[in-house]
Amino acid sequence: MGGSLGITTTNATSYAQVYQRSLTEPEAFWAEQAKQIPWIKAPTKILDKDQNDVWRWFADGELNSCYVALDQHVEQGRGDHIALIYDSPVTNTVAHYSYSEMRDWTARVAGGLQELGVTKGDVVIIYMPMVPETAVAMLACARIGAIHSVVFGGFAPRELAMRIDDSAPKVIMAASCGIEVDKVIAYQPLLNEAIEIAAHKPEHVVMLQRPQALATLQSGRDLDWQTWQQQAKPVDCVPVAATDPLYILYTSGTTGKPKGIVRDNGGHAVALRYSMQAIYNVGVGDVYWAASDVGWVVGHSYIVYGPLFAGCTTVLFEGKPVRTPDAGAFWRVLAEHKVKSFFVAPTAFRAMKKEDPDCKLLADYDISNLEYQFVAGERLDPPTYHWLKAHLDVPIIDHWWQTETGWSICANMAGIELLECKAGSCTLPAPGWDLRILDEAGQELGPNQEGAIVIKEPMPPSSFPTVWGDHGRYMDSYWSQYPGFYLTGDGGYRDEDGYVFVMGRTDDVMNVAGHRLSTGQIEEVVADHGAVAECAVIGIADQEKGQVPMGLLLLKDGVNIDAATLQAELVQLVRKSVGPIANFKTAIVVKRLPKTRSGKILRQVIRKIIDQQPYTVPSTIDDPLIIDELKETLIEHGLL
Ligand code: COA
Ligand code: AMP
């Protein structure tokens, strides 16, 4: 395998030129970017349609994503460069791992997986916290062509069980616990319960024992990670097709069942490698930090794959923006590791702002290495933007993307041409994204007119080609409303300069503290309570977390239950079934729910009423009087 990490040269130098070329000559544009990847077999087909009639990139290319992330750097003489810094205030650890160490470790873990019978195309679920072993587990799967599916530690057993049944993993890699500030969350009981609930049973569980909570291993099924790893023989990278899946990452859709977003190897490697340079302006030797969790797409793309593809040092932080130990934690990490480009969700800054409104703790640290502050995961609200701008002497760049895309749809392309930032905007579409704003009839809207944000096909590399095991859902959810255009599920507008303002979801997806959840997921659990006849869960505005869910309940006839008791029971039920990250704390009883004549609950109208935003009651409403009745109930509960 070979390849180099030079910066691509094109004649285009301004953002406008680069963007224009990416749309007029997409194949030439991405073929050029593909040259930055050490292919095993370089692609000759750049853009093609697959058997599902979906556009695919680099179909006849072959590569290995672990090779791109680790081996190539070692082979090019950068083995002693630091690949990963593990910074864990919750365990008082800071550890550095070189590219050679990461490669050797990953090769051994990959060998261990092979010895368990895991081969190309098998699924491995990873249910692990923010420890270096999680990144190693992901890369080890990639090394042997297995498909990983990481499940975020904050999800409850029922959610994990759904993912086990949908992806049918041969092996689950887990850790004995996660640490949430000062709480030790034992994972083994959660995992055992999930395996119990699931119809599919994995053949093995490889358990990383953490001293904070040791797991009791089940003989025959469970293996102790350390012993297993020591006995394993290192293995080489297995070639895979560019279009073979690298991972499945489940995300929330509009129903209670999560969607398995599939990411392929080739397009992902090319797009992420490109984004590191073109968006984040980092390359070999630069320190890059995304303060997210490996359980989310940000963690996949920008804690693990992107920075390693580009030869950077990535920081894996097991802590919080506050309480580990204080609101200066991020400044400490930025200073200590000399981070150049930093990426975090705005909710984290809101949490810091609440505890340290004048950002006094920053004075204790030298963060002069920082050149860019990136935010995503939810809209960067103007007050947080202004707070950051007042305290940081670097560009504050909001960029917008989704699990489905794997990298930014819109950004301020710092590595091409840094443009003016506007509060509330994620700037302009990144190269390859042909973005349009459409009205309900599919007509394109003009400047400052809000509508559905869609992308004209073909989408650039890394975009998902299907939903795992359910291609029909892929077509129905994303491509049926406006044929030829990908429905992002977000609404917004472009201003007179073309700047994009993403204003929020137009469907029933919520964004709670940077975590994507569906109202349907919580509704299913609430509706299961014996007293509840019907319910609607709405994501309402919250100053710190962006949105939080709230339940509106209709009780069964004859049920007599104290409202506070019912709410407490429902809160526990949601914690147990969805997970604590749902932040479900409020449930109120209403007399009726506003619906259309066909029975669809008017969730958007209810949300806008509670958020005190302008709303339009559709003419199809069953009984307009219900709106006034609902408002009275909300006033009684102090919600209006
Ligand atoms: N495992 C187990 N439990 C978890 C968890 C995990 N990985 N993550 C969160 N939880 C728990 C929390 O401990 C909390 O439990 P509690 O109700 O018993 O106190 C609950 O879930 C709610 O968590 P959260 O909403 O995250 O609140 P928080 O106060 O713990 O933290 C923030 C608030 C803003 C610091 C945190 O949400 C955050 O960093 N968000 C950024 C998310 C992100 O990076 N998203 C990716 C997109 S860029
Ligand atoms: P996820 O798939 O978990 O990354 O969540 C994607 C969703 O988060 C998007 O569809 C948006 O609703 C929201 N989102 C992410 N980044 C931004 C951003 N920069 N501005 C506005 N919304 C965002």
Side-chain angles (χ1 to χ4, degrees), residues 470-532:
D470 195 352
H471 194 67
R473 192 169 182 196
Y474 174 79
M475 295 308 297
D476 290 349
S477 306
Y478 298 103
W479 297 96
S480 63
Q481 190 161 341
Y482 303 109
F485 294 88
Y486 164 71
L487 184 70
T488 64
D490 282 305
Y493 63 93
R494 301 187 77 164
D495 72 4
E496 49 294 329
D497 300 322
Y499 274 57
V500 178
F501 290 74
V502 179
M503 304 308 289
R505 299 288 303 196
T506 54
D507 53 16
D508 296 325
V509 168
M510 290 177 292
N511 198 315
V512 182
H515 304 140
R516 177 166 159 182
L517 298 165
S518 90
T519 52
Q521 199 175 5
I522 301 177
E523 270 172 17
E524 273 186 14
V525 176
V526 172
D528 244 11
H529 188 285
V532 175

Side-chain angles (χ1 to χ4, degrees), residues 140-162:
C141 291
R143 195 169 188 85
I144 55 171
I147 304 162
H148 61 70
S149 187
V150 182
V151 180
F152 177 63
F155 278 125
R158 182 175 170 271
E159 291 287 326
L160 177 56
M162 282 198 260

Side-chain angles (χ1 to χ4, degrees), residues 67-134:
Y67 181 88
V68 183
L70 301 177
D71 300 51
Q72 71 153 330
H73 303 297
V74 180
E75 288 175 18
Q76 289 173 24
R78 291 189 292 275
D80 58 352
H81 284 205
I82 297 303
L84 186 143
I85 300 173
Y86 169 51
D87 187 309
S88 167
V90 295
T91 59
N92 278 320
T93 314
V94 175
H96 294 73
Y97 299 88
S98 70
Y99 271 96
S100 292
E101 285 170 320
M102 284 294 285
R103 186 212 38 195
D104 295 347
W105 189 6
T106 300
R108 193 170 277 281
V109 169
L113 285 172
Q114 267 188 353
E115 284 160 29
L116 293 180
V118 178
T119 57
K120 190 161 144 181
D122 285 337
V123 174
V124 174
I125 279 192
I126 300 173
Y127 187 57
M128 296 175 70
M130 289 289 286
V131 290
E133 284 83 355
T134 311

Side-chain angles (χ1 to χ4, degrees), residues 14-76:
S14 71
Y15 158 79
Q17 287 169 315
V18 175
Y19 179 67
Q20 195 51 37
R21 178 160 180 263
S22 76
L23 296 194
T24 52
E25 299 169 49
E27 292 192 62
F29 182 88
W30 289 110
E32 207 166 282
Q33 297 309 328
K35 290 192 186 131
Q36 307 304 315
I37 297 300
W39 296 91
I40 296 168
K41 180 169 167 270
T44 58
K45 284 187 198 162
I46 302 301
L47 182 61
D48 215 9
K49 282 207 164 175
D50 67 11
Q51 70 284 1
N52 289 324
D53 210 28
V54 172
W55 289 107
R56 303 299 295 266
W57 291 94
F58 317 119
D60 64 347
E62 279 180 16
L63 75 165
N64 181 283
S65 293
C66 180
Y67 181 88
V68 183
L70 301 177
D71 300 51
Q72 71 153 330
H73 303 297
V74 180
E75 288 175 18
Q76 289 173 24

Side-chain angles (χ1 to χ4, degrees), residues 127-130 151-155 178-181 183 185 187 190 290-293 295-299 303 319-323 330 343-352 375-378 399 401 511-516 544-545 547-548 575 579-585:
Y127 187 57
M128 296 175 70
M130 289 289 286
V151 180
F152 177 63
F155 278 125
I179 304 167
E180 280 295 295
V181 189
K183 276 183 298 187
I185 318 273
Y187 278 14
L190 306 175
S292 177
D293 188 287
W296 306 109
V297 69
V298 178
I303 295 175
K320 297 269 170 179
V322 291
R323 295 180 289 140
F330 279 4
F343 174 175
V344 73
T347 186
F349 283 125
R350 290 197 296 270
M352 288 161 66
V375 289
E378 54 176 331
H399 59 327
W401 51 297
N511 198 315
V512 182
H515 304 140
R516 177 166 159 182
E544 199 186 328
K545 303 212 166 171
Q547 282 189 307
V548 288
R575 281 181 79 89
I581 50 156
N583 276 289
F584 183 77
K585 298 201 169 114

Side-chain angles (χ1 to χ4, degrees), residues 326 328 331-332 335 359-367:
D326 56 26
W331 313 135
R332 196 262 307 156
C359 206
K360 290 203 175 99
L361 292 169
L362 177 57
D364 298 341
Y365 303 97
D366 171 8
I367 61 161

